[in-house]
Amino acid sequence: NTGDSPVAVETLDDVPEHVLRGLPEDVRLFPSAVDKTRLGVWATKSILKGKKFGPFVGDKKKRSQV
């Protein structure tokens, strides 16, 4: 035992249903490449520059809140 506390890992069960329903067709949530304890947004195919998604569903957050 190293004395480290267990680290909570974010799962799809932690994601509100409206977020999952609102994901664009070619976007999925998988473990983050930056932080393995969090979910990241991944594209299943290339997304053209300037592609717009919407409408936005959920709570808008300031950059300092995420």
Side-chain angles (χ1 to χ4, degrees), residues 46-61:
S46 293
I47 299 173
L48 296 175
K49 183 177 181 178
K51 173 81 172 169
K52 294 186 181 194
F53 300 102
F56 175 77
V57 177
D59 300 322
K60 205 166 193 177
K61 304 283 183 183

Side-chain angles (χ1 to χ4, degrees), residues 3-9:
D4 294 334
S5 300
V7 177
V9 176

Side-chain angles (χ1 to χ4, degrees), residues 7-41:
V7 177
V9 176
E10 188 175 32
T11 68
L12 289 177
D13 291 335
D14 299 318
V15 179
E17 182 62 33
H18 72 273
V19 172
L20 296 175
R21 282 194 315 267
L23 285 176
E25 182 178 319
D26 297 316
V27 174
R28 302 287 182 268
L29 298 178
F30 292 117
S32 170
V34 177
D35 180 348
K36 297 293 185 198
T37 67
R38 304 292 310 269
L39 292 174
V41 180

